[in-house]
Amino acid sequence: MAQEVRAVVAHKKSEPVTVETINVPDPGPGEALVKVQACGVCHTDLHYREGGISEDFPFLLGHEAAGVVESVGNDVVDVAPGDYVVLNWRAVCGVCRACRRGTPWYCFDTHNATQPMTLSSGQELEPALGIGAFAEKTLVASGQCTKVNPDAKPEVAGLLGCGMMAGIGAAINTGQVGRGDSFAVIGCGGVGNAAIAGAKLAGATTIIAVDVDPRKLKWATEFGATHTINAKEQDPVEGIQELTDGNGANVVVDAVGVPDTFRQAFYARDLAGMVVLVGVPTPDLKIELPLIDVFGRGGSTRSSWYGDCLPNRDFPMLIDLYLQGRLPLDKFVTEKIGLDDVEEAFHKMERGEVLRSVVMM
C-alpha cells in the first residue's frame, strides 16, 4: 500500500518549488524504500527546477541523501531494513560493455526504481537523478543504497551522494593526483572545494584555488589550498604558472564548466598534464582551441562523471576517513534547514552564500 509523505516538487520551469503530499509505493522487485534523514541542496536540483536537465515536469527534487532502509522488495539481498545508507545515482548493472571491461564507473545501464512516485492526483513524478530525496521517504533501486558506518551524521554522510564525491573523485579517481603533485581548481564552490580536499588526501603539495569570490577562496584554504588566486585581480593561467616554477600544474580541475574556465584550465596545466572537467556545461556551450595546441601540449583532457566513483568502494572508505578526522566533511555544511526552506536555499546558492544547505527530515 502506498504511503503519503511530504516532499518538494518542481511543477514548472523557473517557478518556485512547492511542498506537498506525494504517494510512495511499497518496494517491488529490486527496490528499496528509504526513510530519508538528510538531503543536501545541490546545484543539480536547481538545474532541474530551471529545466536545464530535461523538461519532464513535475520533478521530485533532491538526491544528495542519507537515511535508513525501511523495507525492500522480496528479491533484494544487498540491503535490508534498518541499514544506514547513502543514496547514489549510479547503481551499476554489472553486465553492460563498460562493466564487462572492468570500468563499471562508466556503466551504461544504471538502475532506478521501476515504480513511479506520484502526486495525490495520480500524476507521475520524475525523481531527480532517479532518487527524489527532498521527501520524508523515497523509493529507489536497491543498488542505489550504499551501506556506510552509522556513526557518521546523516547531514554529513549524505553529501557523498553527489557533490562531495564528484569533487573528491575528480581529484583522486579521474585526475589520479599523487604524492608531490601540483594541483589547481578553477571554481571553489562545493565541488571545487571537495576536489581540494581530495588532492590534499592524495598528497598533493601545491594546491591552488581559483575563484572570483574572496569568500570562496577563504573556504578553499580551510580545505587544504596552499595558494589562492582571485581571477578578477590576476590572470589564472599566469598565476598558476608562477606558482609552479613556470610550468603549470600537473592536474587542473575545471569545476565551473564554461568555455572560459575550460580554456584557462587547458593552458594552466603542465606539458603532458591533465585537465579534468567536472563542472557541468549547458548544452549550448562550445569550446574552440587551436588543434596544434591540443597536439603540442600532450597530456589528456578528461570529463569526470560522478567523480568516476564506485559507491560501494568509495563511500564507506570516505566515511571512514571522515570519522578518523582526515576528511573535513562537516565544513561543507553551511546550514541545516527544513523542507519548507528549499526555495530560499536555492537563492542562497545563487548568491554564493553557502557551500551546502542540508534539509533535515
Side-chain angles (χ1 to χ4, degrees), residues 167 170-171 175 177 181-188 191-197 199-200 204-211 217 220 224-229 236-237 239-241 243-244 248-256 261 264-270 274-278:
V177 175
D181 278 349
S182 56
F183 179 80
V185 174
I186 301 175
C188 297
V191 173
N193 278 312
I196 288 170
K200 182 180 178 181
T205 50
T206 300
I207 301 176
I208 305 164
V210 180
D211 206 288
L217 292 174
T226 59
H227 303 80
T228 61
I229 295 171
V237 176
I240 291 170
Q241 289 174 341
L243 292 168
T244 54
N250 298 123
V251 179
V252 184
V253 169
D254 176 6
V256 181
T261 56
Q264 289 166 355
F266 180 83
Y267 286 108
R269 64 173 179 157
D270 195 359
M274 184 185 297
V275 174
V276 176
L277 176 62
V278 68

Side-chain angles (χ1 to χ4, degrees), residues 305-328:
W305 299 349
Y306 205 0
D308 288 345
C309 78
L310 283 177
N312 287 341
R313 176 194 67 192
D314 294 337
F315 289 6
M317 176 266 292
L318 293 173
I319 288 295
D320 286 347
L321 290 172
Y322 161 71
L323 291 172
Q324 294 166 13
R326 298 163 63 190
L327 181 61

